[in-house]
Amino acid sequence: LAVTLRRRTNVNMASDVQALGAKNAQLARRPLLWTTAKGALPKLSDAQVAQLRRHLTRGGTWVLDGPTERVAQAAFRTSARRLARRLFPRHKLQALPGTHTLFKSFYLLSPLRLARIAGPVLGVVRDRRAALVVVHGVAEAADGDPSGWARERLHRLAVNIVLYTLCVDYKSDQVHAPAILKRRQFRTGTPTGGRR
């Protein structure tokens, strides 16, 4: 992910991975937390949940990245829903709509195409910001599985998540609307001439 970001954006992401516990003092200095799991997420204590809730409500974003294998995915998603309820009892973990800024923060992505590859992109939206994001297969794509366009779309999703974390709803500003609409029309519109 660090290499992809350096090649495609101006984001200078550190290449080393730091494992942080919920009570680590460095947590407040990390706007983006990324947890990968091959199955169900581990259970957290009430104190850990409270610390993470404090971090997320102050502007942090936590990505839970699960597997694409069906059985493991079901266990992961169940545990992610349970954790989301503990973190934000008044907000629901649900599929992010196609109009959400996360899908246009850098690349214009189709949530339906992403869902066909690795399941829907879920999120807990609080104060119009997705504080918790649940995805599947992004870490697996970094390791080369899946391949081809499926892998590329997951790479693009990862880039979008990082840019969304840093800029939040910047791309929702009306000044970007004409350019975004033009790009969408170019991608999905009918040809104006020549062969089909």
Side-chain angles (χ1 to χ4, degrees), residues 34-41 62-81 93-96 102-103 109 111-123 132-143 145-146 149-158 161:
W34 200 297
T35 300
T36 60
K38 294 183 178 179
L41 294 161
W62 190 11
V63 178
L64 303 177
D65 185 2
T68 54
E69 194 273 321
R70 296 281 178 166
V71 176
Q73 189 181 79
F76 166 79
R77 198 174 294 170
T78 299
S79 64
R81 289 189 184 282
L93 179 67
Q94 54 193 355
L96 295 176
L102 187 144
F103 297 114
L109 299 176
L112 293 176
R113 288 180 179 173
L114 288 168
R116 283 197 291 267
I117 295 167
V121 178
L122 309 175
L132 182 69
V133 178
V134 177
V135 296
H136 302 87
V138 177
E140 292 175 6
D143 292 333
D145 184 32
W149 260 109
R151 183 184 184 200
E152 174 61 21
R153 286 197 175 103
L154 290 171
H155 275 302
R156 291 182 180 191
L157 174 60
I161 290 171

Short mmCIF file of all heavy atoms in Angstrom, two decimals, residues 34-41 62-81 93-96 102-103 109 111-123 132-143 145-146 149-158 161:
data_model
loop_
_atom_site.label_atom_id
_atom_site.label_comp_id
_atom_site.label_asym_id
_atom_site.label_seq_id
_atom_site.Cartn_x
_atom_site.Cartn_y
_atom_site.Cartn_z
N TRP A 34 -5.46 0.33 10.61
CA TRP A 34 -5.85 -0.71 9.65
C TRP A 34 -5.61 -2.07 10.30
O TRP A 34 -4.48 -2.42 10.61
CB TRP A 34 -5.02 -0.58 8.37
CG TRP A 34 -5.64 -1.24 7.17
CD1 TRP A 34 -5.90 -2.57 7.01
CD2 TRP A 34 -6.07 -0.60 5.98
NE1 TRP A 34 -6.45 -2.80 5.78
CE2 TRP A 34 -6.57 -1.60 5.12
CE3 TRP A 34 -6.06 0.73 5.54
CZ2 TRP A 34 -7.07 -1.31 3.86
CZ3 TRP A 34 -6.56 1.01 4.27
CH2 TRP A 34 -7.06 -0.01 3.44
N THR A 35 -6.68 -2.81 10.49
CA THR A 35 -6.60 -4.13 11.11
C THR A 35 -7.01 -5.19 10.09
O THR A 35 -8.09 -5.10 9.50
CB THR A 35 -7.53 -4.22 12.34
OG1 THR A 35 -7.13 -3.25 13.30
CG2 THR A 35 -7.47 -5.60 12.97
N THR A 36 -6.14 -6.16 9.87
CA THR A 36 -6.46 -7.27 8.97
C THR A 36 -6.78 -8.51 9.79
O THR A 36 -6.23 -8.70 10.88
CB THR A 36 -5.29 -7.57 8.01
OG1 THR A 36 -4.14 -7.92 8.78
CG2 THR A 36 -4.97 -6.38 7.15
N ALA A 37 -7.67 -9.32 9.27
CA ALA A 37 -8.06 -10.54 9.98
C ALA A 37 -8.39 -11.63 8.98
O ALA A 37 -8.91 -11.36 7.90
CB ALA A 37 -9.27 -10.27 10.88
N LYS A 38 -8.06 -12.86 9.34
CA LYS A 38 -8.36 -14.01 8.47
C LYS A 38 -9.61 -14.74 8.92
O LYS A 38 -9.98 -15.76 8.36
CB LYS A 38 -7.17 -14.96 8.46
CG LYS A 38 -5.95 -14.36 7.80
CD LYS A 38 -4.80 -15.36 7.73
CE LYS A 38 -3.59 -14.77 7.03
NZ LYS A 38 -2.46 -15.72 6.96
N GLY A 39 -10.26 -14.21 9.94
CA GLY A 39 -11.48 -14.79 10.47
C GLY A 39 -12.11 -13.80 11.43
O GLY A 39 -12.04 -12.60 11.23
N ALA A 40 -12.69 -14.32 12.50
CA ALA A 40 -13.34 -13.45 13.48
C ALA A 40 -12.31 -12.56 14.17
O ALA A 40 -11.17 -12.96 14.42
CB ALA A 40 -14.07 -14.30 14.52
N LEU A 41 -12.71 -11.34 14.45
CA LEU A 41 -11.85 -10.39 15.17
C LEU A 41 -11.76 -10.78 16.64
O LEU A 41 -12.71 -11.32 17.20
CB LEU A 41 -12.43 -8.98 15.05
CG LEU A 41 -12.43 -8.37 13.65
CD1 LEU A 41 -13.42 -7.22 13.57
CD2 LEU A 41 -11.03 -7.90 13.29
N TRP A 62 -10.86 3.85 11.38
CA TRP A 62 -10.41 2.48 11.61
C TRP A 62 -10.95 1.61 10.49
O TRP A 62 -12.16 1.53 10.28
CB TRP A 62 -10.88 1.99 12.97
CG TRP A 62 -10.26 0.68 13.40
CD1 TRP A 62 -9.23 0.02 12.83
CD2 TRP A 62 -10.66 -0.12 14.52
NE1 TRP A 62 -8.94 -1.13 13.50
CE2 TRP A 62 -9.81 -1.25 14.55
CE3 TRP A 62 -11.65 0.02 15.48
CZ2 TRP A 62 -9.92 -2.23 15.52
CZ3 TRP A 62 -11.77 -0.96 16.44
CH2 TRP A 62 -10.91 -2.08 16.47
N VAL A 63 -10.06 0.95 9.77
CA VAL A 63 -10.43 0.03 8.70
C VAL A 63 -10.27 -1.39 9.21
O VAL A 63 -9.20 -1.78 9.68
CB VAL A 63 -9.55 0.24 7.45
CG1 VAL A 63 -9.93 -0.77 6.37
CG2 VAL A 63 -9.71 1.66 6.92
N LEU A 64 -11.34 -2.16 9.11
CA LEU A 64 -11.31 -3.59 9.43
C LEU A 64 -11.31 -4.32 8.09
O LEU A 64 -12.27 -4.23 7.34
CB LEU A 64 -12.51 -3.99 10.28
CG LEU A 64 -12.69 -3.24 11.60
CD1 LEU A 64 -13.97 -3.69 12.30
CD2 LEU A 64 -11.48 -3.43 12.49
N ASP A 65 -10.24 -5.03 7.80
CA ASP A 65 -10.03 -5.66 6.50
C ASP A 65 -10.07 -7.17 6.66
O ASP A 65 -9.15 -7.78 7.20
CB ASP A 65 -8.67 -5.19 5.95
CG ASP A 65 -8.40 -5.69 4.54
OD1 ASP A 65 -9.27 -6.36 3.95
OD2 ASP A 65 -7.30 -5.40 4.04
N GLY A 66 -11.15 -7.76 6.20
CA GLY A 66 -11.35 -9.19 6.39
C GLY A 66 -11.03 -10.01 5.16
O GLY A 66 -10.65 -9.49 4.11
N PRO A 67 -11.19 -11.33 5.26
CA PRO A 67 -10.87 -12.24 4.16
C PRO A 67 -11.98 -12.27 3.12
O PRO A 67 -13.09 -11.78 3.35
CB PRO A 67 -10.75 -13.59 4.87
CG PRO A 67 -11.71 -13.47 6.02
CD PRO A 67 -11.66 -12.04 6.46
N THR A 68 -11.70 -12.89 1.97
CA THR A 68 -12.70 -13.04 0.91
C THR A 68 -13.30 -14.45 0.90
O THR A 68 -14.33 -14.66 0.28
CB THR A 68 -12.09 -12.74 -0.47
OG1 THR A 68 -10.93 -13.56 -0.65
CG2 THR A 68 -11.69 -11.28 -0.57
N GLU A 69 -12.66 -15.38 1.56
CA GLU A 69 -13.18 -16.76 1.62
C GLU A 69 -14.51 -16.75 2.39
O GLU A 69 -14.62 -16.14 3.45
CB GLU A 69 -12.15 -17.66 2.31
CG GLU A 69 -12.42 -19.14 2.14
CD GLU A 69 -13.37 -19.68 3.21
OE1 GLU A 69 -13.24 -19.25 4.36
OE2 GLU A 69 -14.24 -20.49 2.86
N ARG A 70 -15.54 -17.43 1.85
CA ARG A 70 -16.93 -17.29 2.33
C ARG A 70 -17.12 -17.58 3.81
O ARG A 70 -17.71 -16.78 4.53
CB ARG A 70 -17.85 -18.23 1.52
CG ARG A 70 -17.93 -17.89 0.06
CD ARG A 70 -18.85 -16.74 -0.20
NE ARG A 70 -18.89 -16.40 -1.61
CZ ARG A 70 -19.81 -15.61 -2.13
NH1 ARG A 70 -20.74 -15.10 -1.38
NH2 ARG A 70 -19.78 -15.32 -3.41
N VAL A 71 -16.64 -18.72 4.29
CA VAL A 71 -16.86 -19.10 5.69
C VAL A 71 -16.15 -18.14 6.63
O VAL A 71 -16.72 -17.63 7.59
CB VAL A 71 -16.41 -20.55 5.94
CG1 VAL A 71 -16.54 -20.91 7.41
CG2 VAL A 71 -17.21 -21.53 5.08
N ALA A 72 -14.88 -17.87 6.33
CA ALA A 72 -14.11 -16.94 7.16
C ALA A 72 -14.70 -15.54 7.10
O ALA A 72 -14.70 -14.81 8.08
CB ALA A 72 -12.64 -16.93 6.71
N GLN A 73 -15.21 -15.16 5.92
CA GLN A 73 -15.81 -13.84 5.75
C GLN A 73 -17.04 -13.67 6.64
O GLN A 73 -17.24 -12.62 7.24
CB GLN A 73 -16.18 -13.62 4.29
CG GLN A 73 -16.61 -12.20 3.96
CD GLN A 73 -16.99 -12.05 2.49
OE1 GLN A 73 -18.09 -12.44 2.11
NE2 GLN A 73 -16.09 -11.52 1.68
N ALA A 74 -17.85 -14.71 6.73
CA ALA A 74 -19.05 -14.65 7.56
C ALA A 74 -18.70 -14.46 9.03
O ALA A 74 -19.31 -13.64 9.73
CB ALA A 74 -19.89 -15.92 7.37
N ALA A 75 -17.69 -15.19 9.51
CA ALA A 75 -17.26 -15.06 10.91
C ALA A 75 -16.69 -13.66 11.16
O ALA A 75 -16.96 -13.05 12.20
CB ALA A 75 -16.22 -16.12 11.24
N PHE A 76 -15.92 -13.17 10.20
CA PHE A 76 -15.34 -11.83 10.32
C PHE A 76 -16.43 -10.77 10.37
O PHE A 76 -16.42 -9.87 11.22
CB PHE A 76 -14.40 -11.56 9.15
CG PHE A 76 -14.00 -10.12 9.00
CD1 PHE A 76 -13.02 -9.56 9.81
CD2 PHE A 76 -14.63 -9.30 8.05
CE1 PHE A 76 -12.66 -8.23 9.68
CE2 PHE A 76 -14.27 -7.98 7.92
CZ PHE A 76 -13.29 -7.44 8.74
N ARG A 77 -17.39 -10.86 9.46
CA ARG A 77 -18.44 -9.84 9.39
C ARG A 77 -19.31 -9.83 10.65
O ARG A 77 -19.69 -8.77 11.13
CB ARG A 77 -19.29 -10.06 8.14
CG ARG A 77 -20.11 -8.82 7.76
CD ARG A 77 -20.84 -9.00 6.46
NE ARG A 77 -19.91 -9.12 5.36
CZ ARG A 77 -20.27 -9.48 4.13
NH1 ARG A 77 -21.52 -9.75 3.86
NH2 ARG A 77 -19.38 -9.56 3.18
N THR A 78 -19.59 -11.01 11.19
CA THR A 78 -20.37 -11.09 12.43
C THR A 78 -19.63 -10.40 13.57
O THR A 78 -20.21 -9.62 14.33
CB THR A 78 -20.64 -12.56 12.81
OG1 THR A 78 -21.41 -13.17 11.76
CG2 THR A 78 -21.41 -12.66 14.11
N SER A 79 -18.32 -10.66 13.69
CA SER A 79 -17.54 -10.04 14.76
C SER A 79 -17.38 -8.54 14.52
O SER A 79 -17.34 -7.75 15.47
CB SER A 79 -16.17 -10.71 14.88
OG SER A 79 -15.39 -10.53 13.71
N ALA A 80 -17.30 -8.11 13.25
CA ALA A 80 -17.19 -6.68 12.93
C ALA A 80 -18.47 -5.95 13.32
O ALA A 80 -18.43 -4.84 13.87
CB ALA A 80 -16.89 -6.50 11.46
N ARG A 81 -19.62 -6.57 13.07
CA ARG A 81 -20.91 -5.97 13.46
C ARG A 81 -21.00 -5.86 14.98
O ARG A 81 -21.49 -4.86 15.51
CB ARG A 81 -22.07 -6.78 12.90
CG ARG A 81 -22.23 -6.64 11.40
CD ARG A 81 -23.53 -7.28 10.91
NE ARG A 81 -23.63 -7.24 9.46
CZ ARG A 81 -23.97 -6.17 8.75
NH1 ARG A 81 -24.24 -5.04 9.38
NH2 ARG A 81 -24.04 -6.23 7.44
N LEU A 93 -23.82 -0.14 11.47
CA LEU A 93 -22.88 -0.53 10.42
C LEU A 93 -23.67 -0.95 9.20
O LEU A 93 -24.45 -1.91 9.26
CB LEU A 93 -21.99 -1.69 10.90
CG LEU A 93 -20.96 -2.22 9.91
CD1 LEU A 93 -19.88 -1.18 9.63
CD2 LEU A 93 -20.33 -3.51 10.42
N GLN A 94 -23.51 -0.24 8.10
CA GLN A 94 -24.28 -0.55 6.90
C GLN A 94 -23.47 -0.24 5.65
O GLN A 94 -22.42 0.40 5.72
CB GLN A 94 -25.58 0.25 6.89
CG GLN A 94 -25.41 1.74 7.04
CD GLN A 94 -26.72 2.44 7.34
OE1 GLN A 94 -27.78 1.83 7.35
NE2 GLN A 94 -26.67 3.73 7.58
N ALA A 95 -23.97 -0.73 4.52
CA ALA A 95 -23.28 -0.51 3.25
C ALA A 95 -23.24 0.99 2.94
O ALA A 95 -24.25 1.67 3.05
CB ALA A 95 -24.00 -1.26 2.14
N LEU A 96 -22.04 1.47 2.59
CA LEU A 96 -21.91 2.88 2.23
C LEU A 96 -22.56 3.10 0.86
O LEU A 96 -22.35 2.31 -0.06
CB LEU A 96 -20.44 3.29 2.18
CG LEU A 96 -19.70 3.26 3.53
CD1 LEU A 96 -18.22 3.61 3.32
CD2 LEU A 96 -20.33 4.19 4.54
N LEU A 102 -16.06 8.45 -0.06
CA LEU A 102 -15.00 7.44 -0.09
C LEU A 102 -14.83 6.85 -1.49
O LEU A 102 -13.71 6.49 -1.88
CB LEU A 102 -15.31 6.34 0.92
CG LEU A 102 -14.22 5.29 1.15
CD1 LEU A 102 -14.20 4.87 2.62
CD2 LEU A 102 -14.43 4.07 0.28
N PHE A 103 -15.91 6.79 -2.25
CA PHE A 103 -15.84 6.19 -3.59
C PHE A 103 -15.36 7.17 -4.66
O PHE A 103 -15.28 6.80 -5.83
CB PHE A 103 -17.20 5.61 -3.98
CG PHE A 103 -17.65 4.49 -3.08
CD1 PHE A 103 -18.76 4.64 -2.27
CD2 PHE A 103 -16.95 3.30 -3.02
CE1 PHE A 103 -19.18 3.61 -1.43
CE2 PHE A 103 -17.35 2.27 -2.19
CZ PHE A 103 -18.47 2.43 -1.39
N LEU A 109 -14.98 5.02 -8.02
CA LEU A 109 -15.19 3.58 -7.86
C LEU A 109 -16.67 3.23 -7.83
O LEU A 109 -17.48 4.02 -7.34
CB LEU A 109 -14.52 3.10 -6.57
CG LEU A 109 -13.02 3.30 -6.45
CD1 LEU A 109 -12.52 2.86 -5.08
CD2 LEU A 109 -12.29 2.54 -7.55
N PRO A 111 -19.33 0.93 -6.10
CA PRO A 111 -19.50 0.00 -4.98
C PRO A 111 -20.07 -1.35 -5.39
O PRO A 111 -19.78 -2.36 -4.76
CB PRO A 111 -20.45 0.75 -4.03
CG PRO A 111 -21.03 1.86 -4.82
CD PRO A 111 -20.09 2.16 -5.93
N LEU A 112 -20.85 -1.37 -6.47
CA LEU A 112 -21.42 -2.63 -6.94
C LEU A 112 -20.33 -3.56 -7.48
O LEU A 112 -20.34 -4.76 -7.22
CB LEU A 112 -22.49 -2.37 -8.01
CG LEU A 112 -23.75 -1.66 -7.54
CD1 LEU A 112 -24.68 -1.39 -8.70
CD2 LEU A 112 -24.46 -2.48 -6.47
N ARG A 113 -19.39 -3.00 -8.23
CA ARG A 113 -18.28 -3.81 -8.76
C ARG A 113 -17.39 -4.30 -7.62
O ARG A 113 -16.93 -5.43 -7.63
CB ARG A 113 -17.48 -3.00 -9.77
CG ARG A 113 -18.20 -2.79 -11.08
CD ARG A 113 -17.38 -1.99 -12.04
NE ARG A 113 -18.09 -1.80 -13.31
CZ ARG A 113 -17.66 -1.03 -14.28
NH1 ARG A 113 -16.52 -0.38 -14.17
NH2 ARG A 113 -18.36 -0.92 -15.40
N LEU A 114 -17.15 -3.43 -6.64
CA LEU A 114 -16.36 -3.85 -5.48
C LEU A 114 -17.06 -4.97 -4.72
O LEU A 114 -16.43 -5.91 -4.27
CB LEU A 114 -16.12 -2.65 -4.55
CG LEU A 114 -15.12 -1.60 -5.06
CD1 LEU A 114 -15.20 -0.35 -4.20
CD2 LEU A 114 -13.71 -2.15 -5.07
N ALA A 115 -18.38 -4.86 -4.59
CA ALA A 115 -19.16 -5.87 -3.87
C ALA A 115 -19.07 -7.23 -4.57
O ALA A 115 -19.03 -8.27 -3.92
CB ALA A 115 -20.61 -5.43 -3.73
N ARG A 116 -19.05 -7.22 -5.91
CA ARG A 116 -18.95 -8.48 -6.65
C ARG A 116 -17.59 -9.14 -6.44
O ARG A 116 -17.47 -10.36 -6.48
CB ARG A 116 -19.20 -8.24 -8.14
CG ARG A 116 -20.67 -8.05 -8.49
CD ARG A 116 -20.92 -8.23 -9.97
NE ARG A 116 -20.35 -7.16 -10.77
CZ ARG A 116 -21.02 -6.06 -11.13
NH1 ARG A 116 -22.26 -5.89 -10.75
NH2 ARG A 116 -20.42 -5.14 -11.86
N ILE A 117 -16.57 -8.31 -6.21
CA ILE A 117 -15.22 -8.86 -6.02
C ILE A 117 -15.05 -9.42 -4.61
O ILE A 117 -14.58 -10.54 -4.42
CB ILE A 117 -14.15 -7.76 -6.25
CG1 ILE A 117 -14.18 -7.31 -7.71
CG2 ILE A 117 -12.76 -8.26 -5.88
CD1 ILE A 117 -13.39 -6.04 -7.96
N ALA A 118 -15.43 -8.62 -3.61
CA ALA A 118 -15.09 -9.02 -2.23
C ALA A 118 -16.13 -8.60 -1.20
O ALA A 118 -15.80 -8.43 -0.03
CB ALA A 118 -13.74 -8.39 -1.86
N GLY A 119 -17.37 -8.43 -1.60
CA GLY A 119 -18.39 -8.04 -0.64
C GLY A 119 -18.54 -6.53 -0.54
O GLY A 119 -17.67 -5.78 -1.00
N PRO A 120 -19.63 -6.07 0.07
CA PRO A 120 -19.90 -4.63 0.14
C PRO A 120 -18.93 -3.90 1.07
O PRO A 120 -18.38 -4.49 2.00
CB PRO A 120 -21.33 -4.57 0.68
CG PRO A 120 -21.48 -5.83 1.46
CD PRO A 120 -20.68 -6.87 0.73
N VAL A 121 -18.73 -2.62 0.80
CA VAL A 121 -17.95 -1.76 1.69
C VAL A 121 -18.92 -1.22 2.73
O VAL A 121 -19.88 -0.52 2.40
CB VAL A 121 -17.28 -0.61 0.92
CG1 VAL A 121 -16.52 0.30 1.88
CG2 VAL A 121 -16.35 -1.15 -0.16
N LEU A 122 -18.68 -1.57 3.99
CA LEU A 122 -19.56 -1.17 5.08
C LEU A 122 -18.92 -0.03 5.88
O LEU A 122 -17.70 0.12 5.87
CB LEU A 122 -19.84 -2.36 6.01
CG LEU A 122 -20.33 -3.65 5.36
CD1 LEU A 122 -20.44 -4.75 6.40
CD2 LEU A 122 -21.66 -3.44 4.66
N GLY A 123 -19.76 0.71 6.58
CA GLY A 123 -19.22 1.79 7.39
C GLY A 123 -20.18 2.24 8.47
O GLY A 123 -21.39 2.03 8.36
N LEU A 132 -15.65 4.17 11.03
CA LEU A 132 -15.29 2.75 10.96
C LEU A 132 -15.66 2.25 9.57
O LEU A 132 -16.78 2.44 9.11
CB LEU A 132 -16.06 1.96 12.03
CG LEU A 132 -15.77 0.46 12.12
CD1 LEU A 132 -14.36 0.22 12.64
CD2 LEU A 132 -16.79 -0.23 13.02
N VAL A 133 -14.70 1.62 8.90
CA VAL A 133 -14.92 1.10 7.54
C VAL A 133 -14.58 -0.37 7.54
O VAL A 133 -13.53 -0.78 8.05
CB VAL A 133 -14.05 1.85 6.51
CG1 VAL A 133 -14.25 1.28 5.11
CG2 VAL A 133 -14.35 3.35 6.53
N VAL A 134 -15.47 -1.18 6.97
CA VAL A 134 -15.26 -2.63 6.90
C VAL A 134 -15.16 -3.03 5.43
O VAL A 134 -16.07 -2.78 4.64
CB VAL A 134 -16.41 -3.40 7.60
CG1 VAL A 134 -16.20 -4.90 7.46
CG2 VAL A 134 -16.50 -3.01 9.07
N VAL A 135 -14.02 -3.63 5.08
CA VAL A 135 -13.77 -4.08 3.70
C VAL A 135 -13.31 -5.53 3.73
O VAL A 135 -13.03 -6.08 4.79
CB VAL A 135 -12.71 -3.19 3.01
CG1 VAL A 135 -13.20 -1.77 2.85
CG2 VAL A 135 -11.39 -3.22 3.76
N HIS A 136 -13.21 -6.12 2.56
CA HIS A 136 -12.75 -7.50 2.45
C HIS A 136 -11.72 -7.60 1.33
O HIS A 136 -11.95 -7.10 0.24
CB HIS A 136 -13.91 -8.44 2.14
CG HIS A 136 -15.00 -8.41 3.15
ND1 HIS A 136 -16.04 -7.52 3.09
CD2 HIS A 136 -15.19 -9.14 4.28
CE1 HIS A 136 -16.84 -7.71 4.12
NE2 HIS A 136 -16.34 -8.68 4.85
N GLY A 137 -10.59 -8.24 1.62
CA GLY A 137 -9.65 -8.61 0.58
C GLY A 137 -8.62 -7.58 0.18
O GLY A 137 -7.83 -7.85 -0.73
N VAL A 138 -8.58 -6.42 0.82
CA VAL A 138 -7.60 -5.41 0.41
C VAL A 138 -6.18 -5.88 0.74
O VAL A 138 -5.27 -5.78 -0.08
CB VAL A 138 -7.89 -4.04 1.07
CG1 VAL A 138 -6.83 -3.02 0.69
CG2 VAL A 138 -9.27 -3.55 0.64
N ALA A 139 -5.98 -6.43 1.92
CA ALA A 139 -4.67 -6.96 2.29
C ALA A 139 -4.30 -8.15 1.40
O ALA A 139 -3.14 -8.32 1.01
CB ALA A 139 -4.66 -7.37 3.76
N GLU A 140 -5.29 -8.98 1.07
CA GLU A 140 -5.04 -10.12 0.19
C GLU A 140 -4.60 -9.64 -1.19
O GLU A 140 -3.73 -10.23 -1.82
CB GLU A 140 -6.30 -10.98 0.08
CG GLU A 140 -6.67 -11.69 1.37
CD GLU A 140 -7.98 -12.45 1.26
OE1 GLU A 140 -8.55 -12.52 0.15
OE2 GLU A 140 -8.45 -12.96 2.30
N ALA A 141 -5.20 -8.54 -1.67
CA ALA A 141 -4.83 -8.00 -2.97
C ALA A 141 -3.39 -7.50 -2.96
O ALA A 141 -2.67 -7.62 -3.96
CB ALA A 141 -5.77 -6.86 -3.36
N ALA A 142 -2.96 -6.96 -1.83
CA ALA A 142 -1.57 -6.49 -1.72
C ALA A 142 -0.60 -7.67 -1.83
O ALA A 142 0.54 -7.51 -2.27
CB ALA A 142 -1.37 -5.77 -0.39
N ASP A 143 -1.06 -8.87 -1.45
CA ASP A 143 -0.23 -10.07 -1.54
C ASP A 143 -0.38 -10.78 -2.89
O ASP A 143 0.18 -11.85 -3.09
CB ASP A 143 -0.59 -11.05 -0.41
CG ASP A 143 -0.19 -10.51 0.95
OD1 ASP A 143 0.75 -9.71 1.01
OD2 ASP A 143 -0.83 -10.89 1.95
N ASP A 145 -3.45 -11.68 -4.46
CA ASP A 145 -4.64 -12.51 -4.65
C ASP A 145 -5.87 -11.70 -4.26
O ASP A 145 -5.97 -11.31 -3.09
CB ASP A 145 -4.56 -13.77 -3.79
CG ASP A 145 -5.74 -14.71 -4.04
OD1 ASP A 145 -6.23 -14.74 -5.18
OD2 ASP A 145 -6.17 -15.38 -3.09
N PRO A 146 -6.77 -11.36 -5.13
CA PRO A 146 -6.88 -11.82 -6.51
C PRO A 146 -5.92 -11.09 -7.43
O PRO A 146 -5.14 -10.26 -6.97
CB PRO A 146 -8.34 -11.48 -6.85
CG PRO A 146 -8.62 -10.27 -6.02
CD PRO A 146 -7.86 -10.47 -4.73
N TRP A 149 -7.89 -7.19 -12.88
CA TRP A 149 -8.69 -6.01 -12.57
C TRP A 149 -9.26 -6.05 -11.17
O TRP A 149 -9.47 -5.01 -10.53
CB TRP A 149 -9.82 -5.86 -13.59
CG TRP A 149 -9.50 -4.84 -14.63
CD1 TRP A 149 -9.19 -5.07 -15.95
CD2 TRP A 149 -9.40 -3.43 -14.45
NE1 TRP A 149 -8.91 -3.88 -16.58
CE2 TRP A 149 -9.04 -2.85 -15.69
CE3 TRP A 149 -9.58 -2.59 -13.36
CZ2 TRP A 149 -8.86 -1.50 -15.87
CZ3 TRP A 149 -9.40 -1.22 -13.54
CH2 TRP A 149 -9.04 -0.69 -14.78
N ALA A 150 -9.56 -7.24 -10.66
CA ALA A 150 -10.07 -7.35 -9.29
C ALA A 150 -9.05 -6.79 -8.30
O ALA A 150 -9.38 -6.02 -7.40
CB ALA A 150 -10.41 -8.80 -8.96
N ARG A 151 -7.80 -7.18 -8.51
CA ARG A 151 -6.74 -6.68 -7.63
C ARG A 151 -6.57 -5.17 -7.76
O ARG A 151 -6.42 -4.45 -6.78
CB ARG A 151 -5.42 -7.39 -7.98
CG ARG A 151 -4.28 -6.98 -7.08
CD ARG A 151 -2.98 -7.63 -7.51
NE ARG A 151 -1.91 -7.31 -6.59
CZ ARG A 151 -0.63 -7.41 -6.89
NH1 ARG A 151 -0.26 -7.85 -8.07
NH2 ARG A 151 0.29 -7.09 -6.01
N GLU A 152 -6.62 -4.68 -9.00
CA GLU A 152 -6.47 -3.24 -9.24
C GLU A 152 -7.58 -2.45 -8.54
O GLU A 152 -7.32 -1.40 -7.95
CB GLU A 152 -6.48 -2.96 -10.75
CG GLU A 152 -6.48 -1.49 -11.12
CD GLU A 152 -5.27 -0.72 -10.64
OE1 GLU A 152 -4.22 -1.34 -10.35
OE2 GLU A 152 -5.37 0.52 -10.53
N ARG A 153 -8.80 -2.95 -8.61
CA ARG A 153 -9.91 -2.23 -7.96
C ARG A 153 -9.72 -2.18 -6.45
O ARG A 153 -10.05 -1.18 -5.80
CB ARG A 153 -11.24 -2.88 -8.32
CG ARG A 153 -11.67 -2.58 -9.74
CD ARG A 153 -13.15 -2.88 -9.98
NE ARG A 153 -13.52 -2.46 -11.32
CZ ARG A 153 -13.69 -3.29 -12.35
NH1 ARG A 153 -13.50 -4.58 -12.19
NH2 ARG A 153 -14.04 -2.83 -13.53
N LEU A 154 -9.21 -3.24 -5.86
CA LEU A 154 -8.96 -3.24 -4.41
C LEU A 154 -7.81 -2.31 -4.06
O LEU A 154 -7.82 -1.66 -3.01
CB LEU A 154 -8.70 -4.67 -3.93
CG LEU A 154 -9.93 -5.58 -3.96
CD1 LEU A 154 -9.55 -7.03 -3.68
CD2 LEU A 154 -10.99 -5.12 -2.98
N HIS A 155 -6.80 -2.24 -4.93
CA HIS A 155 -5.72 -1.27 -4.73
C HIS A 155 -6.28 0.15 -4.75
O HIS A 155 -5.92 1.00 -3.93
CB HIS A 155 -4.65 -1.40 -5.81
CG HIS A 155 -3.62 -2.45 -5.52
ND1 HIS A 155 -2.85 -2.43 -4.39
CD2 HIS A 155 -3.23 -3.54 -6.22
CE1 HIS A 155 -2.03 -3.48 -4.39
NE2 HIS A 155 -2.25 -4.16 -5.49
N ARG A 156 -7.17 0.40 -5.70
CA ARG A 156 -7.78 1.73 -5.81
C ARG A 156 -8.64 2.04 -4.58
O ARG A 156 -8.67 3.19 -4.13
CB ARG A 156 -8.60 1.83 -7.10
CG ARG A 156 -7.74 1.81 -8.34
CD ARG A 156 -8.57 1.95 -9.60
NE ARG A 156 -7.70 1.94 -10.78
CZ ARG A 156 -8.10 2.25 -12.00
NH1 ARG A 156 -9.37 2.58 -12.23
NH2 ARG A 156 -7.25 2.22 -13.02
N LEU A 157 -9.33 1.04 -4.08
CA LEU A 157 -10.12 1.24 -2.87
C LEU A 157 -9.21 1.63 -1.71
O LEU A 157 -9.53 2.54 -0.93
CB LEU A 157 -10.91 -0.03 -2.53
CG LEU A 157 -11.67 -0.03 -1.20
CD1 LEU A 157 -12.71 1.09 -1.18
CD2 LEU A 157 -12.33 -1.38 -0.96
N ALA A 158 -8.07 0.97 -1.59
CA ALA A 158 -7.12 1.28 -0.52
C ALA A 158 -6.63 2.73 -0.63
O ALA A 158 -6.57 3.45 0.37
CB ALA A 158 -5.94 0.32 -0.56
N ILE A 161 -9.39 5.06 0.46
CA ILE A 161 -9.58 5.08 1.91
C ILE A 161 -8.56 5.99 2.57
O ILE A 161 -8.89 6.79 3.46
CB ILE A 161 -9.51 3.65 2.49
CG1 ILE A 161 -10.75 2.85 2.08
CG2 ILE A 161 -9.39 3.68 4.02
CD1 ILE A 161 -10.68 1.38 2.41
#
